[in-house]
């Protein structure tokens, strides 16, 4: 596949977050049930993909490079990712930190806005190496690249919902909700371009493995410390849990059908 073909597939996969944002924007007056379900769904997607795809990929890359020691390195990188995001969380002033238990009940607009932006940044960080991986598979051939791009596109849709839902709820702006959802996905083609121009000569299975494992740790922490508590704070506990299960199922089906 040509450079342009591989990049087009990466752009398609990343832009699917915009579909999730569009779903949120078109939905009339999303309330607590929708917010709880959307955040729970995103947590389910992030937890499932972290434990079933990203961390195993990191272990595989590192084990190939370093043998048995690579497995230990992957586990260490996973918890390093947890410590990094937890440290960042602790450095944020308490009065603006959405993780602090400032309320019981519906989250405040400030907390929801920060939640949406933080989720967008987290997804963007995750999508950056994912975009580079999609691009590389495209250069290898369409047989591998098309199923990978479709699978990534499918699981990017609920990620877009998770970004857009709290931002729309907080600001009332459909445009801002859609824009942030789309931006979070466009880090994938950015990852493809930067990876190709700058990182490609230095990328090894070991460095990729460490990155994947650390990203998995970051995503798990965000799901457990940010997405789920906020979903439950809406007062729709069961809806939030159902969203987690649906998110896991969507991610599982996308992997089973297309990978």
């Amino acid at each position: 596949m040509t450079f342009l073909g591989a990049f087009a597939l990466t752009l398609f996969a990343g832009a699917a977050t915009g579909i999730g944002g569009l779903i949120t924007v078109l939905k009339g007056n999303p309330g607590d049930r929708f917010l709880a379900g959307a955040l729970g769904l995103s947590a389910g997607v992030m937890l499932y993909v972290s434990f079933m795809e990203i961390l195993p990929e990191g272990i595989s890359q590192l084990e190939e490079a370093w043998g048995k020691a690579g497995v230990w390195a992957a586990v260490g990188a996973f918890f390093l990712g947890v410590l990094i995001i937890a440290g960042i969380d602790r450095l944020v002033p308490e009065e603006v930190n959405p993780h602090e238990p400032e309320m019981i009940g519906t989250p405040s607009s400030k907390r929801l806005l920060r939640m949406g932006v933080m989720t967008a940044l987290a997804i963007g960080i995750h999508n950056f190496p994912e975009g580079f991986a999609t691009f590389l598979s495209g250069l290898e051939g369409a047989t591998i690249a098309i199923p990978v791009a479709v699978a990534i596109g499918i699981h990017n849709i609920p990620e877009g919902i998770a970004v857009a839902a709290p931002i729309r709820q907080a600001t009332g702006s459909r445009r801002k909700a859609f824009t942030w959802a789309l931006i979070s996905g466009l880090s994938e083609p950015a990852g493809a371009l930067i990876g190709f121009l700058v990182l490609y000569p230095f990328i090894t299975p070991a460095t990729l493995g460490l990155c994947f494992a650390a990203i998995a740790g970051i995503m798990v922490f965000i799901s457990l410390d940010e997405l789920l508590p906020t979903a439950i704070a809406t007062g729709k506990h069961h809806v939030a849990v159902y969203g987690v299960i649906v998110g896991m199922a969507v991610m599982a089906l996308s992997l089973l059908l297309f990978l």
Side-chain angles (χ1 to χ4, degrees), residues 89-90 92-95 97-103 111:
D89 181 58
R90 298 303 300 174
V92 176
E94 184 174 324
E95 60 271 15
N97 190 337
H99 304 174
E100 297 298 330
E102 63 181 70
M103 81 205 73
R111 184 180 184 184

Side-chain angles (χ1 to χ4, degrees), residues 13-17 20 127 130 151-161 185 188:
T17 58
N127 285 350
E130 188 177 81
I152 289 173
I154 288 174
H155 86 247
N156 277 351
I157 293 174
E159 290 180 351
I161 292 174
E188 288 202 5

